[in-house]
Amino acid sequence: MARHGGTRGWYGKVVGAALGVTVFAVGASMWTAQAGAVGSPSSKATAPAAPRSDVRTVAMTIAHASDKGAHGVNITIDDGPDPVWTPQVLDVLREYGVKATFCMVGTQAQAHPDLVKKVVAAGHRLCDHTVSHDTAMDKKSPAYRSQQILGAESMITKASGGVRPMYYRAPGGAFTPDSRKLAASRGMRPLGWNVDTKDFERPGVDAIVATVQHELPNGPTLLFHDAGGDRSQTVEALRRVLPWLKQQGYSFGFPVR
């Protein structure tokens, strides 16, 4: 999987917030909350610890397949939620009747809980994309990786009103065996991708669409972004890609768990 370079601009702005998360993340192994259960609201940054019996361990291998089978595709949207672009992405998905998986950065979810709730209410799934989108986290300590994964899990769950993320996607594909095992133990299937649209580079709508069309034989999981910069090209590309996929006979599903 391709690794996105650096922190891509706006992520530098969330580093301060992420440092604050590190403080409460020290006890990460005791934390709660992932996809599926609803908990009581809390004014704190972390949710109450969920009993282990409330969390079902899933496979720690990196998922790529679609639950719709050989002719299914998975639309995945990374790095949000963003107050400008996420609503536009949601509008396009609704227009074409498509459900997607939103891989959310913890600080973004914490800043925009209303959008997290809108994503859930529309029938989409949540994915943990770490606290601060550190693409070099695989080079850092296991404790740091734990803080990033479990911190985002807690932040997303609280922002959603108690719905836990069902997947974990490492920024830039920076997976490690310990991070995959940790996520799986919390009920979050590690999630890869097959088609990197490179939309974050803003190559033009035509280029994004062409990438999907040319690389779709690589597998069913498509990677787009709804934050990290101007995503107008992504919105327009989705408006063209989604009906094209339907015309090709594809069904829209979710990554296998």
Side-chain angles (χ1 to χ4, degrees):
M1 292 178 286
R3 179 168 300 221
H4 303 159
T7 53
R8 301 210 305 277
W10 70 277
Y11 291 111
K13 299 179 182 179
V14 302
V15 169
L19 290 175
V21 173
T22 300
V23 174
F24 70 72
V26 171
S29 62
M30 298 299 294
W31 287 6
T32 188
Q34 259 50 212
V38 176
S40 59
S42 170
S43 59
K44 297 181 180 180
T46 60
R52 291 288 305 180
S53 60
D54 289 353
V55 179
R56 181 177 64 86
T57 299
V58 296
M60 64 178 285
T61 53
I62 299 174
H64 295 89
S66 175
D67 63 5
K68 291 295 186 180
H71 221 56
V73 292
N74 308 317
I75 303 299
T76 65
I77 313 290
D78 282 19
D79 297 0
D82 179 274
V84 174
W85 304 112
T86 301
Q88 294 186 47
V89 169
L90 287 172
D91 285 346
V92 175
L93 293 172
R94 182 174 59 251
E95 180 180 351
Y96 292 101
V98 174
K99 304 302 180 186
T101 299
F102 283 77
C103 299
M104 296 186 174
V105 174
T107 49
Q108 292 295 107
Q110 186 177 59
H112 307 291
D114 56 325
L115 293 177
V116 182
K117 291 179 177 68
K118 285 182 179 179
V119 167
V120 171
H124 306 293
R125 289 185 179 178
L126 301 177
C127 171
D128 179 330
H129 203 33
T130 74
V131 170
S132 59
H133 199 278
D134 183 353
T135 59
M137 62 183 290
D138 56 332
K139 307 300 183 185
K140 300 180 180 177
S141 71
Y144 174 83
R145 291 193 287 270
S146 177
Q147 291 164 6
Q148 285 285 311
I149 296 167
L150 297 182
E153 175 193 17
S154 183
M155 297 164 88
I156 294 167
T157 301
K158 181 181 177 184
S160 72
V163 178
R164 299 169 176 166
M166 299 179 73
Y167 308 92
Y168 162 63
R169 174 174 276 168
F175 289 102
T176 61
D178 63 284
S179 67
R180 291 190 290 108
K181 183 177 181 179
L182 174 62
S185 74
R186 297 298 301 161
M188 298 184 291
R189 180 76 184 267
L191 176 59
W193 62 83
N194 305 107
V195 179
D196 184 352
T197 66
K198 301 293 180 68
D199 61 333
F200 64 91
E201 295 179 349
R202 289 185 285 176
V205 176
D206 289 344
I208 297 171
V209 173
T211 296
V212 173
Q213 294 174 337
H214 294 158
E215 296 189 11
L216 192 57
N218 295 339
T221 300
L222 283 59
L223 171 60
F224 296 90
H225 298 80
D226 64 342
D230 183 339
R231 295 290 166 252
S232 57
Q233 292 182 10
T234 300
V235 173
E236 184 55 34
L238 283 168
R239 201 178 299 279
R240 289 168 54 180
V241 163
L242 298 182
W244 178 81
L245 288 167
K246 286 189 174 185
Q247 290 166 7
Q248 304 307 305
Y250 286 97
S251 299
F252 295 95
F254 292 112
V256 296
R257 295 191 72 233

